[in-house]
Coordinates of all heavy atoms in Angstrom, one line a residue:
E278 N 75.8 101.1 79.1 CA 76.3 102.3 78.4 C 75.3 103.2 77.9 O 75.4 104.4 78.1 CB 77.3 101.8 77.3 CG 78.7 101.5 77.7 CD 79.4 102.6 78.4 OE1 79.7 103.6 77.6 OE2 79.7 102.5 79.6
R279 N 74.3 102.7 77.3 CA 73.2 103.5 76.8 C 72.6 104.3 77.9 O 72.2 105.5 77.7 CB 72.2 102.6 76.1 CG 71.0 103.3 75.5 CD 69.9 102.4 75.0 NE 69.1 101.9 76.2 CZ 68.6 100.7 76.2 NH1 68.7 99.9 75.1 NH2 67.9 100.3 77.3
E280 N 72.3 103.7 79.0 CA 71.7 104.3 80.2 C 72.6 105.1 81.1 O 72.1 105.7 82.0 CB 70.9 103.3 80.9 CG 69.9 102.5 80.2 CD 68.7 103.5 79.6 OE1 68.4 104.5 80.3 OE2 68.3 103.2 78.4
N281 N 73.9 104.9 80.8 CA 74.9 105.5 81.8 C 74.7 105.1 83.2 O 74.8 105.9 84.1 CB 75.0 107.0 81.6 CG 76.2 107.6 82.2 OD1 77.3 106.9 82.2 ND2 76.2 108.8 82.6
H282 N 74.4 103.8 83.4 CA 74.2 103.3 84.7 C 74.8 101.8 84.7 O 74.3 101.0 83.9 CB 72.7 103.2 85.1 CG 72.5 102.9 86.6 ND1 72.9 103.8 87.5 CD2 71.8 102.0 87.1 CE1 72.5 103.3 88.7 NE2 71.8 102.2 88.5
H283 N 75.8 101.6 85.5 CA 76.7 100.4 85.2 C 76.6 99.4 86.4 O 76.9 99.8 87.5 CB 78.0 100.8 84.9 CG 78.2 101.8 83.8 ND1 78.1 103.1 83.9 CD2 78.3 101.5 82.5 CE1 78.2 103.7 82.7 NE2 78.3 102.7 81.8
P284 N 76.2 98.1 86.1 CA 76.2 97.1 87.1 C 77.6 96.6 87.4 O 78.5 96.7 86.5 CB 75.3 96.0 86.5 CG 75.5 96.2 85.1 CD 75.7 97.6 84.8
D285 N 77.8 95.9 88.5 CA 78.9 95.1 88.7 C 78.6 93.7 88.0 O 77.5 93.2 88.2 CB 79.2 94.8 90.1 CG 79.7 96.1 90.8 OD1 80.0 97.0 90.2 OD2 79.7 96.1 92.1
M286 N 79.5 93.1 87.2 CA 79.3 91.9 86.5 C 80.4 91.0 86.8 O 81.6 91.4 86.7 CB 79.1 92.1 85.0 CG 77.9 93.0 84.7 SD 77.6 93.1 82.9 CE 79.0 94.1 82.3
H287 N 80.1 89.7 87.1 CA 81.1 88.7 87.5 C 80.9 87.4 86.7 O 79.7 87.0 86.6 CB 80.9 88.3 89.0 CG 80.9 89.6 89.9 ND1 82.1 90.2 90.4 CD2 79.8 90.3 90.4 CE1 81.7 91.2 91.1 NE2 80.4 91.3 91.1
L288 N 82.0 86.9 86.1 CA 82.0 85.7 85.4 C 82.9 84.8 86.1 O 84.2 85.1 86.3 CB 82.4 85.9 84.0 CG 82.5 84.7 83.1 CD1 81.3 83.8 83.0 CD2 83.1 85.0 81.7
T289 N 82.5 83.7 86.6 CA 83.3 82.6 87.3 C 83.1 81.3 86.7 O 82.0 81.0 86.2 CB 83.1 82.6 88.8 OG1 81.8 82.4 89.0 CG2 83.5 83.9 89.4
G290 N 84.0 80.4 86.8 CA 83.9 79.0 86.3 C 83.4 79.0 84.8 O 82.7 78.1 84.5
Y291 N 83.8 79.9 84.1 CA 83.7 80.1 82.6 C 82.2 80.3 82.2 O 82.0 80.7 81.0 CB 84.3 79.0 81.8 CG 83.6 77.7 81.7 CD1 82.7 77.5 80.7 CD2 83.9 76.6 82.6 CE1 82.1 76.2 80.5 CE2 83.2 75.4 82.4 CZ 82.4 75.2 81.4 OH 81.7 74.0 81.3
R292 N 81.2 80.1 83.0 CA 79.8 80.3 82.5 C 78.8 80.7 83.6 O 77.7 80.8 83.4 CB 79.3 79.1 81.8 CG 79.3 77.8 82.6 CD 78.9 76.6 81.7 NE 78.6 75.5 82.6 CZ 77.7 74.6 82.4 NH1 76.8 74.8 81.4 NH2 77.6 73.6 83.2
N293 N 79.4 80.8 84.9 CA 78.5 81.3 86.0 C 78.5 82.8 86.1 O 79.6 83.4 86.3 CB 79.0 80.7 87.3 CG 78.9 79.2 87.3 OD1 77.9 78.6 86.9 ND2 80.1 78.5 87.6
V294 N 77.4 83.5 85.9 CA 77.4 84.9 85.8 C 76.5 85.5 87.0 O 75.5 84.9 87.4 CB 76.6 85.3 84.5 CG1 76.5 86.8 84.4 CG2 77.4 84.7 83.3
E295 N 77.0 86.5 87.5 CA 76.2 87.3 88.5 C 76.3 88.8 88.1 O 77.3 89.4 87.8 CB 76.8 87.2 89.9 CG 76.0 88.0 90.9 CD 76.6 87.9 92.4 OE1 77.8 87.8 92.5 OE2 75.7 88.1 93.3
V296 N 75.1 89.4 88.0 CA 74.9 90.8 87.7 C 74.4 91.5 89.0 O 73.4 91.0 89.5 CB 74.0 91.0 86.6 CG1 73.8 92.5 86.3 CG2 74.4 90.2 85.3
V297 N 75.1 92.5 89.5 CA 74.8 93.1 90.8 C 74.5 94.6 90.4 O 75.3 95.3 89.8 CB 75.9 93.0 91.7 CG1 75.5 93.7 93.0 CG2 76.2 91.6 92.0
L298 N 73.3 95.1 90.9 CA 72.9 96.5 90.6 C 72.7 97.2 92.0 O 72.1 96.7 92.9 CB 71.5 96.5 89.9 CG 71.6 96.1 88.4 CD1 70.2 96.0 87.9 CD2 72.3 97.2 87.7
F299 N 73.3 98.4 92.0 CA 73.1 99.4 93.1 C 73.6 100.7 92.6 O 74.4 100.7 91.6 CB 73.6 98.9 94.4 CG 75.1 98.9 94.4 CD1 75.8 99.9 95.2 CD2 75.9 98.0 93.8 CE1 77.2 99.9 95.2 CE2 77.3 97.9 93.9 CZ 77.9 98.9 94.6
T300 N 73.1 101.7 93.1 CA 73.6 103.1 92.7 C 74.9 103.3 93.5 O 74.8 103.5 94.7 CB 72.5 104.1 92.9 OG1 71.4 103.8 92.1 CG2 73.1 105.5 92.5
H301 N 76.0 103.2 92.9 CA 77.3 103.2 93.5 C 77.5 104.5 94.3 O 78.0 104.5 95.5 CB 78.4 103.1 92.5 CG 78.5 101.7 91.8 ND1 77.7 101.4 90.8 CD2 79.3 100.7 92.1 CE1 78.0 100.2 90.4 NE2 78.9 99.7 91.2
S302 N 77.1 105.7 93.8 CA 77.3 107.0 94.5 C 76.5 107.1 95.8 O 77.0 107.8 96.6 CB 77.0 108.1 93.6 OG 75.6 108.1 93.2
L303 N 75.5 106.3 95.9 CA 74.7 106.3 97.1 C 74.8 105.1 98.0 O 74.2 105.0 99.0 CB 73.2 106.5 96.7 CG 72.8 107.9 96.0 CD1 71.4 107.9 95.6 CD2 73.2 109.1 96.8
D304 N 75.4 104.1 97.4 CA 75.6 102.8 98.1 C 74.2 102.2 98.5 O 74.0 101.7 99.6 CB 76.5 102.8 99.3 CG 76.9 101.5 99.8 OD1 77.1 100.6 98.9 OD2 77.1 101.3 101.0
G305 N 73.2 102.3 97.6 CA 71.9 101.8 97.8 C 71.2 101.6 96.5 O 71.7 101.9 95.4
I306 N 69.9 101.1 96.6 CA 69.1 100.8 95.5 C 68.2 102.0 95.2 O 67.4 102.4 96.1 CB 68.3 99.4 95.7 CG1 69.3 98.3 96.0 CG2 67.4 99.1 94.5 CD1 68.7 97.1 96.6
T307 N 68.2 102.4 93.9 CA 67.3 103.5 93.5 C 66.3 103.0 92.4 O 66.5 101.9 91.9 CB 68.0 104.7 93.1 OG1 68.7 104.4 91.9 CG2 69.0 105.2 94.2

Side-chain angles (χ1 to χ4, degrees):
E278 276 297 295
R279 180 189 76 209
E280 299 302 323
N281 196 29
H282 192 63
H283 302 91
D285 291 347
M286 299 188 291
H287 309 276
L288 173 62
T289 57
Y291 81 87
R292 63 187 187 136
N293 299 309
V294 178
E295 181 183 30
V296 179
V297 180
L298 284 169
F299 68 108
T300 300
H301 293 82
S302 62
L303 299 177
D304 195 33
I306 301 165
T307 65

